Amino acid sequence: MTQTQTQTQPRPSPLVSIENIDIALPAGSDRKFAVSGATISIDRGEVLCIVGESGSGKSVLASAIAGLLPGDGLQVTKGRLLFDGQDVLSLNEPQLRRLRGARIGFIFQEPMTALNPLLTVGRQLAEALEAHGHPASPARIGELFSAMQLPEPETIGRRYPHELSGGQRQRVAIAMAMACGPDLLIADEPTTALDVTTQAEILKLILALRVSHKLAVLFITHDFGVVREIADRVAVMQNGEIIEVGNARSVLDTPQQPYTRRLLAAVPTLDALRRPSLTDRVALLELDGIEKTHAARRGFFAAKGRSVIALDGVDLELREGETLALVGESGSGKSTLGQVITGLIERDAGHFRLFGDDIARAGDLFTSQRRPAVQMVFQDPQSSLNPRHDVRRILTEPVLRAGLSKAEAHARMAMLLARVGLDASVADRKPHAFSGGQRQRIGLARALMHQPRLLVADEPVSALDVSVQAQVLDLLAELQRDLGLAMLFITHDLRVAAKVADRIAVMQQGRIVEAAATDDLLHRPQSAYARALLAAIPGRAHEADFPHLKRLQRDTA
Amino acid sequence: MKRRLSRPFLTLPVLFGLIVLALLVFCVIFADLLYPGNPWRMVARPNLPPLSPGFPAGTDMLGRDLAAGLVHGSRATLVVAFSVVAFAVGLGSAIGLAAGYLGAAIDEGLMRFTEFFQTIPGFLLTIMIVAIFSPTRWTVILAIALMAWPPIVRVVRAEVLSLRRLDWVRAARVSGLSHIRIALLHVLPNVLPQIVVQSSLLLASAIMIESGISFLGLGSRDAVSWGFLLGSGRTAFSVNWWLSTLPGLAIFLTVLAFNLVGDGLERWLDPKRSRRAGP
Amino acid sequence: MTRVARSQRHQIQGIAAAYGRAFGLRLAKAGLTLFAVIVLSFLLVRLAPGDPALILAGDQGGSDPAFVDELRHHLGLDGPLLFQLWRYLQNIASFDFGISYRDQRPVLDIVLEKVPATLLLTGSAFVFSIVLGVTLGALSARRPGSAVDVVITTISVAFFAMPMFWVGLVFIIVFAVKLGWLPSYGMETTAVSARGGWAALGDRLSHMVLPVLTLGFFYMSVHARVSRTALLQISAMDFIRTARAKGLSPWRIWRDHLLRNALLPTITVASLQAGQLIGGSILVETVFAWPGIGRLAFNALSGRDYNVLLAVFILSSLGVIIANLIADAAYRLIDPRLEREGKT
């Protein structure tokens, strides 16, 4: 862990050593190599994090270690790969199988799809044991589940994956990876699909296992918060190359490469914006006791399904020109609330006032006055634009239908495209020609075409890479300020909320548990849940240890 | 998206299918030029085997030219097939779009209705309808179409359901566009590739069913189709094997061609989704 | 430990109750489908041009005014439409499908004595098509693009495009007429089957070969395609990667993870095929003069014996509905995700 040890003393032979490896992509891809010239080693018992944005080759590199490269044409074309002195690249499939599961455990990103839906989790764990000649007695299985801190470890093995939560499934996956006592655990973004509080628990579990099992961990992530939480050493990857490797503290503290610096600077911190209080402004939106229950889909022949209470009495106020962040984990009801406000779904009960008028039902939002005034930005840049329409049609069709002249519509489009940082020439292209960040900019321009007064942004940056995320966030904040919009910003990430919001409302199980000015909420949280959310933010415990980081962020900003 | 472009449409099977279809179109258009007049005239000695000079497909027991029958039969067969597809695709797309777009209650009702037509023995019902009502060309077309639309509904509905959850449909709602406009001008065009693929596969099964009906001798007598030729030739199959074999070959090649082109279209337009079921 | 046992028992009871509820709903739905089939067949006769009594009496019965009058009264055709429907439902509920004028016998007897032959034919073809189809699909999914895959795919694409009755005729021409290996029509040689024993069994089997292959090859091609596609899709899924990462042997992965999941679409397709098999058996039984309900339906159609025809339609629909219930139960047995819901 300390710098002197790793750098001056002669190290024992590493557990994994990767030397100058090239992994070729299939012919016809946009670049030749998924990984090129990568050299790195993993010591026994250390946690190595590989950080990079999507497409950097980090997952491919990890898969190669146990011969698990996906079948569609990825191939190691050059270099050496040793695991505990064994040349992995020269092993045949049965030899590799003795390595996988037994000496190298894997966990993957998506707990929802990583388990076979048709077999009980106990049977799937038993398989992992039996494959390497270990007895799979119920006692042993219960013991493993218990070590993963799963509830009811003796009986949970009889459940099927769909009966477990995402966090529980990931624990089952870890149990399978740990079943045969491996030397190395390869974890490919294992917490990305989980809520922050669940993520914090899983990270804690992995760190505990590392100590109790003397385990080396190769942890792949895009999140520097997670890195700060668990890494001994860090490797940064960009376009298939390892551009920087080093002790975690030194990389995070004094990054050498400009790319690393840029990535680090893009990580939002919990510094609240200091902005004048808006309490004297007029309330645009007032919600009082909003309730919504999602009835399970039922038909005449469908058995009674469970209905889910999404909103359980929400009170909320949004003032003119204010940005309110609605923060909550999955299932908290935050997206449902956003859809109630934009009229996409009907509420069951509660008062809803917009611009001082009562909204009796969702249909009241679809009037020629109100519809343009309330607009929305969506989460997924892959699906938020109609793939068959060009940007011109996407932007102008609604305002043309609303009665704007063609000339005005086109003028407004040109103005907004420029405003969101896109060239006017993009108007003739279809969505597939754009990157995720560009699509989000188009989505933002579309929302602004109607010159709204209230903008609902539903997780607008959560699908973007960190560096792009920062740009889009800055753009949103800037536009909000310049246009004097009121904005409801829905997010699961308190760090993102801190960056844009005047006030933050924390939601849990359909209720707002705390709403306060951003600075107050971040530094003086009143509710237990807000405190838990804050504590779960990865890397936060160490934030105080990294004074350089803040300076760095100020410098690059 | 990039993938789609790199995937060639013109694979060997598709090329084969297109050549067969081109020949077919040629026969349909030039039938009257190739074999003018009534194809059912007696023109030569009876029971000439295939490849006899002037009569490439041989003649039947009354000395009628089988080649003339086959060329003219292509018309009858394809007219029925295309009409069936027009009806079935129209009905199926409308029901599928309504079921997928209009929400759970309507979906439930429409899908029960569709399921019913998928459950009952369709071919039996079709021939019952044809027999009980008079076997005209239109009865045959409507009776086949009545049983042919459910697969279209399933595909269109599934696609609309998954599209409806996408953010761009919500965005269109929030931007103030009407439901009708979104359903017809935004969602439907996105389902078009699937509809085209299904149409091609449906053409194949319509030809199959029509020839089954005609084979049983229950079909329309307005125009002679391949199935009818096959059925009427089968009584003499031990002597004149070609009378039933060659029309069957024509049906086989045509159905094969539509299937191959349909599969090719599907791979090209929609690589993610693959064929789920048979006819 | 007792607490655990109790919670386990509760869980099992809960699952059983959920199964029961789901099955009850399925049964209700099946009943409604059957009801709709009966109403549809009623409407078919009512909507047809002409006097329904004349239609039902058929070509031969229609010439006998006394018979037509009796029929009209029996079916309540002199009353209002809803009354007629009620009478029709009543008759069917008491298994009265009317009299076949041609045979002068109750229709139900005529149909029921043909059912075993059709079950033998369709059942054998069904088993043949699934077993061979899934096997071929699995072989071809092993290495997509390989020579084996290309051959299997070509075979299944070809059989999928061949009209069944044509395949039957070609089989007869080749194997019965030219080569003389197998009989071309009927279900048995009377002289041989009367003697019983192994000879009779062999005779029956030799009669079955061509019709079963004719019917089976088509559905085999469907199953080969469906299972190939399903296996390829599933082999790209995350849990297969997990299984590989656990170090499982290829055989275990194939059996427990791939095949199990890939069987689900096969079951769905198989249940859709139940209705199609009836249609197929009409064609195949006609070609091979197989004495089942398909040929009965064809003869009834040609002879305009509509009572027989409607009975075949209603009873074969019932058969399809039962087959679908079985398929549904099989699906639930494999897929635990459905056990607590009432629908697929």
Side-chain angles (χ1 to χ4, degrees):
Chain A
M1 183 85 187
T2 55
Q3 217 163 340
T4 46
Q5 191 192 350
T6 46
Q7 291 192 347
T8 54
Q9 286 179 8
R11 294 198 306 206
S13 74
L15 181 63
V16 177
S17 102
I18 297 174
E19 289 162 30
N20 201 18
I21 225 167
D22 281 358
I23 300 175
L25 284 165
S29 312
D30 34 351
R31 62 175 204 251
K32 225 175 143 195
F33 292 104
V35 173
S36 63
T39 299
I40 195 162
S41 64
I42 308 170
D43 285 340
R44 284 160 215 279
E46 83 165 341
V47 178
L48 171 70
C49 274
I50 301 186
V51 201
E53 297 189 290
S54 47
S56 60
K58 54 193 194 299
S59 293
V60 173
L61 182 59
S63 305
I65 296 177
L68 262 189
L69 287 174
D72 46 8
L74 284 170
Q75 253 188 332
V76 178
T77 48
K78 202 183 89 192
R80 255 160 51 103
L81 209 166
L82 300 180
F83 177 82
D84 201 12
Q86 249 181 319
D87 183 0
V88 175
L89 297 178
S90 71
L91 296 182
N92 61 21
E93 188 58 26
Q95 290 168 323
L96 281 171
R97 231 181 307 146
R98 278 198 286 282
L99 220 54
R100 295 199 286 256
R103 304 206 54 201
I104 305 176
F106 274 89
I107 45 177
F108 302 107
Q109 175 169 353
E110 269 302 331
M112 307 316 258
T113 54
L115 301 176
N116 184 343
L118 305 186
L119 301 179
T120 62
V121 294
R123 174 143 175 220
Q124 295 188 55
L125 176 56
E127 267 183 350
L129 288 161
E130 284 161 358
H132 301 286
H134 296 270
S137 64
R140 174 73 185 127
I141 287 172
E143 197 181 295
L144 275 165
F145 280 141
S146 160
M148 301 309 141
Q149 295 153 24
L150 277 158
E152 302 177 40
E154 314 90 41
T155 56
I156 199 167
R158 296 202 188 87
R159 307 254 204 116
Y160 289 96
H162 72 278
E163 299 171 314
L164 306 182
S165 71
Q168 288 172 337
R169 287 185 222 194
Q170 203 57 295
R171 285 171 197 271
V172 170
I174 298 174
M176 296 194 307
M178 296 300 298
C180 303
D183 303 302
L184 174 67
L185 177 68
I186 297 180
D188 189 352
E189 302 246 13
T191 58
T192 307
L194 304 174
D195 281 329
V196 254
T197 47
T198 318
Q199 162 170 288
E201 289 164 19
I202 296 284
L203 291 180
K204 223 159 68 192
L205 175 65
I206 291 175
L207 286 180
L209 290 171
R210 170 235 184 151
V211 174
S212 61
H213 289 69
K214 300 189 178 50
L215 189 66
V217 180
L218 174 62
F219 197 104
I220 296 157
T221 181
H222 65 278
D223 186 340
F224 273 104
V226 172
V227 175
R228 197 164 295 158
E229 197 89 358
I230 63 164
D232 298 327
R233 282 196 309 140
V234 185
V236 181
M237 285 189 76
Q238 183 192 18
N239 297 330
E241 288 174 41
I242 296 177
I243 57 162
E244 182 160 7
V245 193
N247 184 291
R249 183 167 284 223
S250 66
V251 171
L252 292 173
D253 230 5
T254 50
Q256 300 302 306
Q257 295 294 322
Y259 178 72
T260 316
R261 253 177 262 162
R262 257 204 336 270
L263 279 184
L264 274 165
V267 178
T269 49
L270 280 176
D271 289 332
L273 294 163
R274 311 255 175 216
R275 292 183 35 186
S277 165
L278 297 161
T279 38
D280 51 334
R281 299 279 187 92
V282 203
L284 283 187
L285 172 74
E286 294 156 272
L287 301 177
D288 190 9
I290 300 288
E291 288 175 21
K292 173 74 192 175
T293 302
H294 288 303
R297 208 194 131 119
R298 12 184 349 180
F300 186 66
F301 286 112
K304 224 187 281 177
R306 268 157 290 171
S307 47
V308 181
I309 298 175
L311 299 175
D312 188 13
V314 172
D315 306 331
L316 198 69
E317 209 179 71
L318 182 59
R319 300 187 192 87
E320 211 180 312
E322 179 186 49
T323 299
L324 172 67
L326 199 56
V327 179
E329 296 187 295
S330 54
S332 62
K334 56 187 193 304
S335 285
T336 307
L337 188 61
Q339 293 185 54
V340 166
I341 292 169
T342 47
L344 284 171
I345 53 179
E346 188 80 72
R347 66 190 189 273
D348 295 338
H351 293 288
F352 180 171
R353 284 169 71 80
L354 184 73
F355 313 137
D357 302 331
D358 270 319
I359 305 294
R361 31 176 222 98
D364 291 352
L365 283 160
F366 289 81
T367 62
S368 52
Q369 274 94 49
R370 294 198 191 101
R371 187 65 277 170
V374 181
Q375 288 294 301
M376 188 160 182
V377 180
F378 295 86
Q379 171 175 6
D380 182 8
Q382 298 306 315
S383 73
S384 63
L385 307 173
N386 187 338
R388 300 198 150 246
H389 291 175
D390 59 17
V391 171
R392 184 189 316 278
R393 176 155 182 199
I394 289 170
L395 260 57
T396 57
E397 185 181 2
V399 286
L400 289 173
R401 296 297 299 171
L404 210 65
S405 78
K406 210 166 171 182
E408 281 175 296
H410 283 150
R412 202 179 282 177
M413 173 178 79
M415 187 272 286
L416 281 172
L417 283 178
R419 200 72 183 72
V420 298
L422 290 173
D423 194 81
S425 68
V426 305
D428 297 319
R429 285 152 69 191
K430 290 188 176 164
H432 64 83
F434 301 100
S435 69
Q438 288 171 321
R439 289 185 207 197
Q440 251 357 24
R441 287 165 194 269
I442 295 168
L444 183 55
R446 168 179 60 192
L448 296 176
M449 282 298 285
H450 273 309
Q451 302 182 321
R453 294 166 69 190
L454 169 60
L455 190 64
V456 175
D458 188 358
E459 300 263 18
V461 296
S462 66
L464 305 175
D465 276 330
V466 223
S467 52
V468 185
Q469 192 175 41
Q471 295 163 11
V472 173
L473 271 183
D474 287 340
L475 177 64
L476 254 177
E478 184 187 315
L479 283 167
Q480 186 270 336
R481 216 167 35 240
D482 295 355
L483 303 174
L485 287 170
M487 179 156 75
L488 184 72
F489 189 96
I490 299 168
T491 177
H492 67 281
D493 191 340
L494 265 173
R495 293 174 295 183
V496 169
K499 205 162 174 204
V500 293
D502 300 308
R503 275 197 308 140
I504 294 179
V506 177
M507 270 191 94
Q508 184 192 21
Q509 292 170 3
R511 288 178 194 196
I512 293 191
V513 291
E514 183 169 356
T518 302
D519 198 48
D520 288 338
L521 193 119
L522 295 178
H523 300 107
R524 292 168 289 281
Q526 302 299 307
S527 62
Y529 184 65
R531 277 200 291 273
L533 271 186
L534 277 163
I537 294 175
R540 182 158 152 70
H542 309 262
E543 208 161 80
D545 305 342
F546 294 89
H548 305 289
L549 184 63
K550 286 190 180 156
R551 197 180 59 226
L552 178 77
Q553 278 177 328
R554 267 200 304 280
D555 293 349
T556 21
Chain B
M1 282 297 161
K2 243 181 238 163
R3 252 207 145 115
R4 175 194 286 193
L5 298 178
S6 69
R7 219 169 260 268
F9 171 62
L10 213 59
T11 55
L12 211 59
V14 173
L15 187 66
F16 172 79
L18 289 176
I19 290 173
V20 172
L21 293 186
L23 274 172
L24 206 61
V25 170
F26 180 81
C27 286
V28 168
I29 295 175
F30 296 112
D32 288 329
L33 281 178
L34 288 169
Y35 293 97
N38 183 354
W40 292 116
R41 284 169 298 140
M42 284 169 268
V43 288
R45 270 209 349 258
N47 298 337
L48 277 177
L51 301 179
S52 305
F55 300 96
T59 58
D60 68 4
M61 43 284 186
L62 294 174
R64 300 181 291 202
D65 184 357
L66 185 59
L70 287 174
V71 167
H72 280 265
S74 67
R75 275 192 178 175
T77 306
L78 287 186
V79 165
V80 172
F82 274 95
S83 315
V84 165
V85 168
F87 277 110
V89 165
L91 185 67
S93 310
I95 294 182
L97 189 61
Y101 194 82
L102 293 180
I106 290 171
D107 183 24
E108 179 79 23
L110 288 175
M111 285 322 284
R112 286 294 89 84
F113 182 67
T114 307
E115 251 171 43
F116 173 72
F117 278 91
Q118 280 195 306
T119 303
I120 56 176
F123 185 68
L124 179 55
L125 184 62
T126 306
I127 55 179
M128 279 167 67
I129 292 173
V130 172
I132 290 178
F133 298 83
S134 55
T136 64
R137 176 179 278 185
W138 286 106
T139 329
V140 171
I141 289 169
L142 289 175
I144 301 176
L146 185 70
M147 302 313 300
W149 55 271
I152 306 273
V153 172
R154 296 207 158 251
V155 170
V156 172
R157 168 184 175 266
E159 196 62 27
V160 171
L161 271 182
S162 67
L163 286 176
R164 204 177 63 137
R165 276 192 281 271
L166 293 184
D167 281 342
W168 62 257
V169 176
R170 290 191 183 144
R173 264 317 269 159
V174 170
S175 73
L177 299 179
S178 67
H179 277 305
I180 297 229
R181 194 177 179 85
I182 295 171
L184 294 182
L185 295 182
H186 290 227
V187 174
L188 192 59
N190 276 282
V191 190
L192 225 49
Q194 276 83 29
I195 295 180
V196 170
V197 169
Q198 290 300 315
S199 302
S200 174
L201 301 175
L202 196 58
L203 276 168
S205 55
I207 291 172
M208 209 68 133
I209 296 171
E210 191 280 332
S211 42
I213 296 173
S214 301
F215 168 76
L216 292 175
L218 303 168
S220 134
R221 308 290 165 95
D222 306 352
V224 170
S225 72
W226 290 333
F228 180 80
L229 287 177
L230 208 172
S232 57
R234 101 182 159 97
T235 42
F237 68 75
S238 52
V239 195
N240 304 344
W241 55 269
W242 59 90
L243 290 184
S244 48
T245 311
L246 293 182
L249 199 64
I251 298 171
F252 165 56
L253 287 176
T254 310
V255 170
L256 184 67
F258 278 118
N259 278 335
L260 291 176
V261 172
D263 287 349
L265 278 173
E266 176 158 54
R267 258 193 307 277
W268 184 54
L269 292 172
D270 198 9
K272 298 185 303 282
R273 183 202 196 84
S274 45
R275 186 95 166 272
R276 285 183 181 150
Chain C
M1 216 37 205
T2 47
R3 195 179 55 83
V4 171
R6 201 178 309 133
S7 87
Q8 214 180 310
R9 201 169 62 231
H10 276 258
Q11 207 177 329
I12 290 168
Q13 279 168 354
I15 291 172
Y19 261 120
R21 203 165 44 240
F23 189 68
L25 286 165
R26 283 269 140 183
L27 221 53
K29 188 171 148 188
L32 201 68
T33 310
L34 186 62
F35 176 77
V37 165
I38 295 171
V39 173
L40 182 69
S41 52
F42 169 77
L43 288 177
L44 211 55
V45 173
R46 287 296 318 185
L47 291 177
D51 179 356
L54 265 177
I55 293 175
L56 284 174
D59 284 349
Q60 288 139 9
S63 55
D64 178 352
F67 178 75
V68 174
D69 281 347
E70 194 203 309
L71 196 65
R72 185 171 289 132
H73 181 72
H74 182 71
L75 297 175
L77 291 177
D78 28 16
L81 197 67
L82 272 176
F83 172 72
Q84 292 175 31
L85 177 61
W86 174 243
R87 178 61 71 81
Y88 188 73
L89 287 167
Q90 259 182 332
N91 286 341
I92 286 174
S94 55
F95 298 104
D96 176 5
F97 288 91
I99 305 281
S100 160
Y101 188 80
R102 268 157 49 103
D103 295 6
Q104 293 295 348
R105 283 169 61 206
V107 164
L108 189 65
D109 296 355
I110 300 177
V111 177
L112 287 185
E113 73 194 22
K114 304 285 186 196
V115 167
T118 296
L119 281 183
L120 182 66
L121 172 65
T122 51
S124 313
F126 181 74
V127 172
F128 168 81
S129 67
I130 287 208
V131 171
L132 195 62
V134 172
T135 309
L136 290 180
L139 282 176
S140 111
R142 272 179 88 86
R143 212 163 283 139
S146 66
V148 175
D149 180 32
V150 170
V151 169
I152 291 176
T153 308
T154 309
I155 290 175
S156 52
V157 166
F159 271 112
F160 189 64
M162 289 182 196
M164 242 178 245
F165 42 92
W166 181 64
V167 174
L169 283 176
V170 172
F171 277 0
I172 290 179
I173 292 175
V174 175
F175 295 104
V177 178
K178 301 275 179 218
L179 298 171
W181 290 353
L182 292 162
S184 66
Y185 64 90
M187 195 158 111
E188 58 198 8
T189 316
T190 324
V192 180
S193 65
R195 267 183 275 135
W198 290 107
L201 183 67
D203 178 59
R204 171 64 57 86
L205 288 177
S206 72
H207 278 88
M208 281 172 64
V209 174
L210 291 183
V212 168
L213 289 185
T214 303
L215 193 54
F217 272 137
F218 179 81
Y219 297 104
M220 174 207 80
S221 68
V222 176
H223 283 297
R225 294 170 61 117
V226 168
S227 54
R228 176 183 185 272
T229 311
L231 282 164
L232 287 179
Q233 271 177 352
I234 286 156
S235 62
M237 287 188 173
D238 283 359
F239 62 81
I240 298 299
R241 185 175 57 169
T242 307
R244 288 182 63 206
K246 286 195 283 194
L248 298 190
S249 69
W251 163 244
R252 282 294 289 264
I253 295 179
W254 194 83
R255 191 192 63 190
D256 292 351
H257 297 275
L258 266 172
L259 188 64
R260 220 180 159 83
N261 280 281
L263 277 181
L264 293 177
T266 296
I267 294 176
T268 307
V269 169
S271 84
L272 282 177
Q273 274 174 5
Q276 297 171 15
L277 274 170
I278 303 284
S281 69
I282 296 175
L283 293 166
V284 172
E285 289 181 9
T286 306
V287 171
F288 289 96
W290 185 268
I293 59 167
R295 201 161 75 106
L296 179 68
F298 174 67
N299 289 337
L301 267 172
S302 332
R304 308 204 154 262
D305 196 349
Y306 288 113
N307 273 334
V308 171
L309 202 55
L310 292 180
V312 169
F313 178 60
I314 292 170
L315 290 173
S316 58
S317 299
L318 180 65
V320 173
I321 291 168
I322 293 171
N324 284 348
L325 281 174
I326 295 171
D328 188 58
Y331 201 107
R332 267 156 219 281
L333 211 61
I334 298 186
D335 193 341
R337 285 167 295 187
L338 287 172
E339 91 195 1
R340 270 136 216 224
E341 290 164 43
K343 55 181 183 173
T344 37

